[in-house]
Amino acid sequence: MLIALGVTGGIGAYKAVEVARGLQKRGHDVVAVMTHSATRFVGAVTFEAITRRHVITDQFEMGMNADIEHIALASTIDLLLIAPATANIIAKLAHGIADDFLSTLYTATRAPLLLAPAMNTQMLEHEAVRANLNTLAARGARFVDPGEGYLACGWIGKGRLAEPDEIVAAAEAILRPEGPLRGQRVLVTAGPTYEDVDPVRFIGNRSSGRMGYAIAAEAARRGAEVTLVTGPTTIEAPAVRQIVKVRSAAQMHEAVMSRAGDMQVVVMAAAVADYSPAARAEQKVAKDGDTLTLLLRKTPDILGELGQRRVAKGGGPLLVGFAAETEDVVAHAMAKRERKHADLIVANDVSRSDAGFDVDSNAVTIVGAEGADALPLQSKSRVASEILTRVERLLTARAVKV
Ligand code: PMT
C-alpha cells in the first residue's frame, strides 16, 4: 500500500524515520511529506535515503506542479499518516487551511487519516487543541495517542510521540484490518423513509443518515463487505461495496429482506416510518376543508421480521437494532431487544439537542445480553466504533461456539 508520511516540526520528527522504516519492512511504499519546520529537526535527505523516493517539502518547488503533484498523490495514497502531528498541523487540518503541501494534500485526498499527536502536556490539554482533535475525530480520523514520560521541553507528562512500533501497528490496523469483521458481509440501514401522501406531499422524519453512514464507513474500514441501504439523505456516501437507495418503508423492507439471508451482520440504524398512508392519492389532495384526515397503516416491522426469521430458522445474521426513545430509554431498549430477538439494541435519547437526529454526536446506551452499557456523548464515528467492537466480540463468541 502507498502511505504518505507527513512529518511536522516537533522533536519527535527523528522517530518518523523509524516509522518509515517499519512501514517499509511490512511491504508498504512510503512517500515522505515534510513541512518546512520539520526540516529544521531532520534533513529531507534522511527520508530520501530511507524511502528511496523524492521527499516533498515545498508545494512550489520546480517540477512540483508538472502534474499537480498534490492532486496526483492525493488520489493514489491508501493512508495519510502524520507523525509527529503538532498542534499547528492539527489546527490547520481541522479548519481546512491548505497553505503548504501537507495541509493541501489532506484536503485533496479521501484516504483515511491517522494522526500521532506530539506536544507539551499543557498544549495537548488546551481546549483549542481538544476541539480541533474532536473535529477531526468526527470526520473519522484515527489517532495514536501520545505516550507519557519525559518531554523534550523537560516536562514529565502526556505528550510524547507514540513509539514507532505503535504507530506502524495502528497504520497496519487501518490498511489490513485483521479483526473479526474482515471479509464479513454487513448490511447497514440509514436515514429516514419518506411515505408519500400524494405526488407532492410525504411524511418523513429528521434522520440525516449520519449514524448509519458512520457505521457503514467504520465497518468498511474494519475490512467488512458493506451494503448500505439508505433512505433519502444529503450527506456524502461512505466508500462501501454497495449502496441501495430507497424511499419508503416498503422499499426498505424489500431491500433488506431480500439481502439479509446472505449477511453475517445486519445493523438497523434507519429511522423507518412506523405508519404510511393507507392509500397514496394519485393527484395532489385539494386544500378544501379546514382539516384533512389521513388514514395511516402500520408498515412492516423489518427488525421484528428479521428476528422472527432467525428464531424460525435457528440462526441467521447477527442483529443490531436501534431505539429512538424520549424517556425510560434503557427500559424500552431492553424490552425491545427481547421482543425483536436482537443481539444488541443501541438506544439513543432523541429528546436531547446534541444527540440522535441530524447532529454529529450521539449519546447511546448499548443493550446486550449482559446488560446496558451507557456511553458518554461523542462523535457518531466513535459511537460506530464502539458498536462494531461489540459486534466483533459477538462474532468471535459465535465462531468459538461453532
Ligand atoms: O440519521 P441520524 O440523523 O444520524 O439520526 C440517527 C438516528 C436517531 C435516526 C438513529 O440513531 C436511530 O435512533 N435510528 C432508529 C430510529 C428508529 O426508527 O427507532 P425506533 O425505536 O422507531 O425503531 C426501532 C428499530 O426498529 C430501529 O432499528 C429501526 O430501524 C427498526 N424499525 C423501525 C420501524 C420499522 N417499520 N421497521 C424497523 O425495522
Side-chain angles (χ1 to χ4, degrees), residues 150-316:
Y150 280 100
L151 305 177
C153 50
W155 286 53
I156 296 178
K158 186 160 186 175
R160 277 163 64 94
L161 178 65
E163 290 311 309
D165 289 350
E166 216 183 325
I167 297 171
V168 171
E172 279 278 281
I174 294 173
L175 292 169
R176 290 200 184 102
E178 293 305 324
L181 273 171
R182 182 170 174 70
Q184 298 293 308
R185 291 183 300 281
V186 176
L187 184 147
V188 182
T189 67
T193 61
Y194 287 177
E195 308 307 317
D196 290 321
V197 175
D198 62 24
V200 171
R201 303 179 184 93
F202 64 84
I203 302 170
N205 62 62
R206 291 187 298 113
S207 170
S208 63
R210 285 180 175 78
M211 188 70 254
Y213 283 37
I215 294 168
E218 178 63 19
R221 254 198 296 278
R222 294 187 185 207
E225 292 175 18
V226 178
T227 299
L228 173 62
V229 178
T230 177
T233 63
T234 56
I235 56 175
E236 185 178 349
V240 295
R241 180 168 293 272
Q242 187 185 21
I243 294 180
V244 180
K245 292 186 178 180
V246 299
R247 180 176 173 83
S248 67
Q251 289 171 351
M252 187 168 278
H253 175 255
E254 192 285 326
V256 171
M257 299 313 290
S258 61
R259 292 172 173 83
D262 189 34
M263 299 290 159
Q264 279 85 37
V265 182
V266 174
V267 183
M268 291 291 295
V272 188
D274 293 318
Y275 288 91
S276 179
R280 178 183 177 283
E282 287 308 311
Q283 303 304 327
K284 183 186 170 190
V285 174
K287 292 180 285 190
D288 293 338
D290 291 342
T291 61
L292 172 66
T293 301
L294 283 179
L295 177 63
L296 303 181
R297 189 181 309 286
K298 249 177 116 49
T299 59
D301 178 355
I302 304 168
L303 181 64
E305 227 175 287
L306 288 169
Q308 284 160 8
R309 182 194 276 187
R310 210 169 61 150
V311 170
K313 286 190 168 181

Side-chain angles (χ1 to χ4, degrees), residues 319-367:
L319 275 192
V320 180
F322 270 71
E325 306 293 346
T326 53
E327 58 179 358
D328 302 335
V329 177
V330 180
H332 284 142
M334 287 180 146
K336 187 164 283 186
R337 193 183 83 83
E338 295 290 329
R339 201 168 57 250
K340 312 266 185 179
H341 306 291
D343 294 287
L344 297 175
I345 287 283
V346 182
N348 38 193
D349 176 353
V350 293
S351 65
R352 289 179 53 157
S353 60
D354 56 359
F357 289 101
D358 202 17
V359 287
D360 283 327
S361 52
N362 209 352
V364 300
T365 300
I366 303 180
V367 175

